[in-house]
């Protein structure tokens, strides 16, 4: 089994939990995190953009830091993330 390094949720790799989602591994640091922890920290839109518009899976910390060319922009006072393609 694998565990989310943020909340401690444990699950088999490639299994799915209806509350916590899937477990992921950061391509930058190797940290494991669940879908729910990423969404709680960075937001659903950022999660969907990361999976749909980038070639990387990043933990919330490194997503917010902008590693691998994912940058932050401010639109109307709301911080949003986008991938530089």
């Amino acid at each position: 089994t694998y565990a989310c390094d943020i909340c401690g949720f444990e699950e088999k790799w490639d299994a799915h939990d209806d509350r916590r989602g899937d477990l992921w591994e950061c391509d930058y640091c190797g940290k494991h995190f669940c879908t729910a922890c990423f969404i709680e920290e960075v937001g659903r839109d950022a999660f969907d953009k990361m999976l749909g518009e980038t070639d990387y899976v990043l933990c919330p910390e490194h997503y917010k830091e902008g590693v691998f060319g994912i940058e932050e922009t401010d639109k109307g006072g709301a911080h949003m993330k986008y991938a530089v393609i």
Side-chain angles (χ1 to χ4, degrees):
T1 63
Y2 292 83
C4 174
D5 293 324
I6 300 169
C7 72
F9 166 70
E10 293 185 10
E11 185 63 85
K12 292 180 181 176
W13 199 251
D14 287 334
H16 178 80
D17 180 80
D18 289 338
R19 267 190 51 245
R20 304 302 307 171
D22 300 310
L23 284 172
W24 304 89
E25 182 175 8
C26 180
D27 291 335
Y28 187 75
C29 69
K31 184 178 191 176
H32 294 105
F33 59 95
C34 66
T35 303
C37 283
F38 187 97
I39 291 171
E40 287 169 12
E41 194 166 330
V42 187
R44 178 54 144 188
D45 288 344
F47 182 76
D48 292 342
K49 279 189 176 279
M50 176 179 70
L51 293 184
E53 298 179 20
T54 75
D55 294 328
Y56 308 105
V57 172
L58 300 173
C59 65
E61 175 184 353
H62 288 115
Y63 187 89
K64 290 189 293 186
E65 286 180 7
V67 298
F68 296 135
I70 297 174
E71 299 176 354
E72 183 175 309
T73 185
D74 187 15
K75 291 189 177 187
H79 288 286
M80 300 182 71
K81 308 281 183 177
Y82 67 97
V84 178
I85 299 175

